[in-house]
Amino acid sequence: IFDVVQIGKKKGRQDKAINKIFISYYSNNNWQNLETMVCSWENNPLLKKRIKILLDCVQAVKISSTNKLNEVNVVLPTLITQIDGILTDYLKNKGLSGDVPYNKKKKHFQDNITEGITTKLDDLANDIFLNILFQKSQSGIPLDNPFGFNRHKIIHGENVNYGRKNYMIRAFLILDFLAHLE
């Protein structure tokens, strides 16, 4: 975190340097830090029924890192669908049920979220989660916030250039964020 804060203080865009730190941290020792984080969710009621899928994703990343295969092309869509399912389960626990549009899900999530680490970090996590990954999207229309890490554009096959490790790490970090909600 200290390294990220130091880089963040520099002028200009520092996203590549920050991405490199996160990728390096989680991929260290054949993705051991990523596996440790995912294993810590095993007893979480919100993630428990999905833990096998999430651990399979980690194993796919570990196995493919020794090949010339882009594991993100396979793992990221799976992570996004699990994030979507966890969001639905969380909102059901908070009283929102049925098939509702994403703007209603986002509003209900924002209204019911419990505070976690700090307000600034919560705001950042919410921004990435709600305004980037779940940003409103229509087929064939560019995003307001032109960021390739968008659920709709990836899951519906509109974005086929999503195979970036930093997107995969973001998805795992969103899962960790969700794992710590009450």
Side-chain angles (χ1 to χ4, degrees):
I1 291 176
F2 178 76
D3 292 342
V4 172
V5 170
Q6 292 300 359
I7 290 171
K9 289 180 181 178
K10 294 180 180 178
K11 293 190 186 281
R13 290 189 57 174
Q14 301 300 323
D15 49 320
K16 287 182 182 179
I18 291 172
N19 287 340
K20 187 176 176 181
I21 288 173
F22 277 95
I23 292 167
S24 175
Y25 174 78
Y26 284 103
S27 67
N28 190 30
N29 198 18
N30 193 26
W31 297 92
Q32 187 60 50
N33 290 329
L34 181 64
E35 186 172 25
T36 300
M37 180 175 72
V38 174
C39 285
S40 76
W41 307 332
E42 266 184 310
N43 295 318
N44 182 299
L46 200 55
L47 281 76
K48 192 171 189 158
K49 71 181 183 184
R50 303 171 190 284
I51 199 69
K52 172 79 170 92
I53 297 166
L54 301 173
L55 288 170
D56 284 350
C57 287
V58 173
Q59 290 308 310
V61 170
K62 290 174 78 169
I63 291 167
S64 66
S65 65
T66 60
N67 302 319
K68 293 184 181 198
L69 161 71
N70 185 351
E71 68 277 10
V72 179
N73 286 331
V74 176
V75 170
L76 185 59
T78 301
L79 294 176
I80 290 172
T81 60
Q82 295 312 302
I83 290 168
D84 201 358
I86 292 164
L87 173 61
T88 300
D89 290 350
Y90 176 78
L91 293 175
K92 280 181 186 174
N93 291 343
K94 295 295 183 182
L96 184 69
S97 60
D99 192 23
V100 296
Y102 274 100
N103 59 347
K104 188 170 183 175
K105 283 185 178 184
K106 287 168 62 171
K107 175 76 172 118
H108 196 73
F109 182 82
Q110 288 172 316
D111 291 345
N112 286 282
I113 189 137
T114 56
E115 289 195 23
I117 307 166
T118 67
T119 302
K120 264 189 169 177
L121 286 177
D122 282 345
D123 290 347
L124 181 59
N126 275 322
D127 187 48
I128 292 168
F129 182 53
L130 299 173
N131 300 325
I132 294 177
L133 180 61
F134 284 99
Q135 177 183 175
K136 183 179 177 183
S137 172
Q138 291 182 316
S139 187
I141 298 173
L143 297 167
D144 290 339
N145 183 358
F147 201 86
F149 186 56
N150 177 268
R151 175 211 171 273
H152 182 84
K153 299 286 188 189
I154 294 170
I155 297 301
H156 294 283
E158 196 170 339
N159 176 0
V160 295
N161 297 313
Y162 60 82
R164 298 169 47 180
K165 282 191 173 93
N166 60 312
Y167 288 177
M168 181 181 71
I169 298 297
R170 281 186 181 95
F172 276 112
L173 290 174
I174 287 171
L175 287 162
D176 192 55
F177 169 70
L178 293 171
H180 291 90
L181 295 177
E182 294 180 9

